[in-house]
Amino acid sequence: RRAFVAWQQKDLAKYFHRGIISMCHHVMFFCVDLFQHINEDPSIAQASSVGLFGRVVDDEELFEMAKERFANSPVMTNSYKESARRLYRILYGTKRYLNQTIESYVGYQVTEDTYGASREYFNRLLYSCTDLTPALGAHMVCSESSSLLNLIIFIVLQKATGEINANVYSDFARLLTTSSEVESADVPAAMERLAFYIYKDMKPEEFKSMKTEEALQWLETSSTTAGKKYREFLVKHGHRCLREFDIRSLTWRTDPKTLVKLLQNLVGSVKSDRPEKKQESFKEIISEVKAPLSFKTRLLLRIILPLSRKAVQNRECSKSK
């Protein structure tokens, strides 16, 4: 439990939870606890903030609080064997761990026993929540792998440039631009392609004027290309929805009306098919970096970048499967 809810090496606080907490249908964490190593190397703390928040956190008060809180914390050093084991797990063991977790859920379902009262059934559902612990663990491992590899890339660019500036951000974004192989990145493009096929098979004004139920029935029963593409979309992306982390949100497969409403708003604005983006070679991508990279640094990026892309795919897969 501690591995998934707390980052700090100290004892847990007595008066409030630290780490990841859930409250009022939201997941929150204390930012100060993310920078427990700030006294060792402030630049790494800044790079970590980019990996966590997508930008440098310009909050001196936050960092001062972190320095004060962890001023007397012992420096945690791992043995060479432990460091090598952790590095191997991050680089090569994540996918295997993810696949093992996915296989463990094959055929899983909550027991559908007959209960005498709703409270008994509710208690059974509460006990079943712990069944999701391995899935959460796999997601945390995949997220750790992705964040660490992204952190390495950012530090490489920062060291090559000598500071964190606009060029570092630009290079970092260019290197980490996702492709259609990442499921969450493919959803918007797939929706646009679906809207385009609807546009080809029906006048946008007619589709927009239809009631949601009528549009849904047409998409579910139509033998047109749009109907086929809609059903293919639900097979691939039906488990997703808006506000996915809100447990009250229903997936598109469960409540397709929400998807149809999105399509009714989108159709007509997409009048050409959006081809899938071709994967560029990593050598070409690295050659476009503005930072003055040495031969060794370029070689390191050519090793780390494919692993980083795969780590992003694993992270997204851990949320979807």
Side-chain angles (χ1 to χ4, degrees):
R1 177 177 176 272
R2 179 172 179 172
F4 298 143
V5 301
W7 294 284
Q8 66 281 350
Q9 302 296 332
K10 295 183 177 182
D11 294 333
L12 296 179
K14 297 180 180 179
Y15 304 106
F16 59 91
H17 293 291
R18 289 163 65 178
I20 300 177
I21 61 175
S22 177
M23 185 181 298
C24 299
H25 305 290
H26 289 77
V27 176
M28 296 168 282
F29 56 85
F30 292 91
C31 293
V32 174
D33 291 335
L34 300 177
F35 302 105
Q36 57 178 303
H37 302 297
I38 191 170
N39 291 304
E40 301 172 29
D41 191 343
S43 63
I44 293 181
Q46 286 285 16
S48 298
S49 68
V50 174
L52 291 166
F53 306 109
R55 60 181 177 84
V56 171
V57 176
D58 187 16
D59 191 334
E60 289 300 324
E61 183 179 1
L62 173 66
F63 290 124
E64 288 300 323
M65 291 176 63
K67 290 177 182 178
E68 180 180 352
R69 174 172 293 181
F70 301 108
N72 299 320
S73 299
V75 178
M76 303 298 295
T77 57
N78 296 322
S79 64
Y80 175 80
K81 183 178 180 180
E82 179 61 29
S83 298
R85 181 188 302 172
R86 185 179 182 188
L87 182 62
Y88 177 83
R89 187 193 72 175
I90 290 174
L91 297 181
Y92 302 106
T94 305
K95 182 62 175 178
R96 182 175 62 180
Y97 181 51
L98 177 61
N99 289 337
Q100 290 174 348
T101 305
I102 293 174
E103 291 175 3
S104 68
Y105 282 98
V106 174
Y108 170 80
Q109 61 181 7
V110 178
T111 305
E112 298 181 356
D113 297 333
T114 302
Y115 297 92
S118 58
R119 181 175 291 277
E120 294 179 10
Y121 189 49
F122 177 71
N123 289 335
R124 181 68 185 90
L125 291 176
L126 288 181
Y127 281 115
S128 298
C129 289
T130 55
D131 296 345
L132 302 178
T133 300
L136 174 62
H139 178 61
M140 295 295 288
V141 170
C142 292
S143 297
E144 178 190 23
S145 173
S146 176
S147 297
L148 182 59
L149 290 169
N150 291 349
L151 177 62
I152 293 174
I153 293 174
F154 189 86
I155 291 177
V156 167
L157 296 174
Q158 177 195 1
K159 296 295 184 183
T161 306
E163 60 177 346
I164 299 178
N165 55 27
N167 286 338
V168 173
Y169 280 121
S170 176
D171 290 340
F172 186 66
R174 180 69 183 91
L175 292 175
L176 297 186
T177 299
T178 56
S179 65
S180 58
E181 295 178 0
V182 178
E183 183 175 327
S184 62
D186 181 52
V187 172
M191 289 187 66
E192 289 186 6
R193 288 194 294 269
L194 179 54
F196 168 71
Y197 287 116
I198 296 174
Y199 164 78
K200 288 185 63 178
D201 291 334
M202 180 181 291
K203 293 181 179 180
E205 297 78 10
E206 183 179 350
F207 185 73
K208 288 176 178 289
S209 63
M210 296 173 69
K211 293 183 178 180
T212 306
E213 294 78 7
E214 295 174 348
L216 174 60
Q217 184 179 8
W218 179 75
L219 289 170
E220 289 179 338
T221 59
S222 174
S223 59
T224 61
T225 303
K228 294 177 181 178
K229 293 295 181 180
Y230 168 79
R231 294 186 285 274
E232 291 176 2
F233 181 92
L234 278 187
V235 170
K236 185 175 182 180
H237 301 297
H239 61 284
R240 307 192 74 98
C241 63
L242 299 177
R243 298 187 295 274
E244 292 179 333
F245 269 97
D246 189 338
I247 61 175
R248 297 169 295 184
S249 298
L250 299 177
T251 64
W252 287 328
R253 189 177 294 120
T254 303
D255 182 19
K257 292 181 182 179
T258 56
L259 174 61
V260 173
K261 291 179 181 178
L262 291 174
L263 292 172
Q264 286 181 309
N265 291 327
L266 188 60
V267 71
S269 62
V270 183
K271 299 183 179 180
S272 61
D273 192 7
R274 178 176 176 175
E276 294 188 7
K277 186 177 180 181
K278 294 183 179 179
Q279 183 70 43
E280 299 178 85
S281 70
F282 294 113
K283 185 177 181 180
E284 292 177 358
I285 296 174
I286 295 173
S287 66
E288 298 175 1
V289 170
K290 301 174 184 177
L293 303 176
S294 64
F295 173 77
K296 291 183 179 180
T297 305
R298 290 180 181 275
L299 183 60
L300 176 61
L301 286 178
R302 290 190 64 178
I303 296 173
I304 295 296
L305 189 54
L307 295 174
S308 175
R309 294 283 183 92
K310 287 293 183 182
V312 173
Q313 294 176 27
N314 292 337
R315 184 193 66 203
E316 294 301 308
C317 182
S318 69
K319 295 191 296 184
S320 300
K321 297 298 184 181

